Amino acid sequence: SRSKFRAATNLKALSLKGLLPEQVGEAIYELNPPEMQHEPKSPLMFPALRSLLLEDIAFGCYASSCEGEDSLPYSLSSMLEGRKDAGHPLSYLELRECSIAEGYATMYDSDVEHFMWDGHVGDAHNRHSEDDDDSDGDESEVEDEEGDSSE
């Protein structure tokens, strides 16, 4: 299955729409240079890839459950930097109708030549108050403000 995709060496644009964060994370991992996958002898997935559109994807927010090097926002940034360092940079990234905190969305501007974001944050901040029985929603707002102040 992976080998079939690895044969698509001339693929220049990829669009991921409406996938679960785990699925997007797996796709981003596969786009990493082989050295970052601890498989230095494997060929790079889609070496000609220059354009990535992510649509209707839930990235998360500044709450502690969204943080970490393995979280989707940081995985995407790491992949973009890794491909750039490996000589296979993406030149275009677009985030459309994604649920993402503004601070995360704007960090990609320096990772690609052309970055587009529609400004949509979706439910990036609301979903923690819905999932947390002990929170009335105010706690996630405080966490967001703390995350914004550290920027």
Side-chain angles (χ1 to χ4, degrees):
S1 60
R2 284 177 59 188
S3 62
K4 291 177 185 176
F5 286 113
R6 291 204 187 276
T9 57
N10 292 321
L11 183 79
K12 293 182 175 29
L14 181 62
S15 175
L16 302 176
K17 180 178 179 179
L19 298 175
L20 295 172
E22 297 80 24
Q23 294 169 317
V24 177
E26 290 173 16
I28 288 172
Y29 179 80
E30 292 298 329
L31 294 174
N32 276 315
E35 299 78 30
M36 293 175 68
Q37 296 177 5
H38 307 291
E39 299 177 24
K41 296 186 182 200
S42 296
L44 177 67
M45 180 76 79
F46 309 136
L49 183 67
R50 297 297 178 259
S51 176
L52 180 61
L53 166 63
L54 300 175
E55 185 173 357
D56 190 26
I57 306 295
F59 279 84
C61 68
Y62 293 118
S64 59
S65 60
C66 292
E67 290 293 330
E69 292 179 15
D70 294 330
S71 67
L72 194 51
Y74 292 112
S75 295
L76 177 58
S77 182
S78 177
M79 180 273 294
L80 293 170
E81 291 173 16
R83 286 185 72 102
K84 188 188 309 182
D85 292 346
H88 297 277
L90 271 70
S91 56
Y92 179 84
L93 173 65
E94 182 175 355
L95 304 179
R96 187 184 303 160
E97 295 293 317
C98 289
S99 176
I100 185 168
E102 181 177 357
Y104 288 145
T106 57
M107 76 179 179
Y108 305 122
D109 193 35
S110 62
D111 292 332
V112 293
E113 189 176 338
H114 304 285
F115 173 68
M116 294 188 63
W117 174 50
D118 60 8
H120 187 80
V121 295
D123 66 350
H125 304 289
N126 299 332
R127 61 193 175 93
H128 293 287
S129 59
E130 293 170 3
D131 293 342
D132 187 358
D133 293 336
D134 297 330
S135 174
D136 61 3
D138 293 336
E139 186 177 329
S140 64
E141 290 177 22
V142 171
E143 289 174 358
D144 292 339
E145 289 171 11
E146 289 173 3
D148 289 340
S149 65
S150 67
E151 290 272 296

